[in-house]
């Protein structure tokens, strides 16, 4: 998650702050971040990014999505978000799983 968020910052926010708002002070970074609008699937982990600018939810993204994976047949398989999933998750977990409720 840190790599994905850093990538968004380095490719979307920082260049815009420097070019459009003339620097990397807090105000320039905030303005640049508020202009980011990535759809679902637009980040390394498959979620989108679109920040709210004002009010109680200021600086919260309206496009979050949990990322999930499962090990199925000893292979890691992405089960979400929709934009990058390889298959549906297996639920409930099979009894052979150490995480299954027995």
């Amino acid at each position: 998650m840190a790599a994905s968020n850093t990538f968004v910052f380095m490719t979307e926010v920082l260049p815009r702050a420097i070019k459009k708002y003339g620097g990397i002070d807090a105000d320039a970074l905030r303005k640049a971040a508020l202009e980011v609008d990535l759809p679902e699937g637009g980040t390394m982990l498959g979620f989108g990014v679109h920040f709210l600018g004002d009010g109680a939810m200021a600086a919260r993204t309206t496009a979050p999505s949990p990322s999930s994976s499962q090990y199925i047949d000893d292979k890691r398989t992405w089960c979400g978000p929709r934009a990058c999933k390889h298959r549906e998750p297996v639920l409930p977990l099979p009894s052979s799983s150490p995480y299954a409720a027995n």
Side-chain angles (χ1 to χ4, degrees), residues 9-63:
F9 177 75
M10 298 298 267
T11 61
E12 298 288 331
V13 178
L14 191 59
R16 183 176 289 129
I18 293 168
K19 290 177 186 171
K20 189 170 181 180
Y21 298 106
I24 57 170
D25 60 88
D27 193 48
L29 291 172
R30 181 180 185 280
K31 288 176 183 176
L34 290 174
E35 292 181 7
V36 175
D37 192 9
L38 298 175
E40 182 179 307
T43 63
M44 289 177 175
L45 294 178
F47 53 85
V49 177
H50 180 86
F51 294 106
L52 297 173
D54 296 314
M57 295 300 287
R60 303 287 194 270
T61 183
T62 62

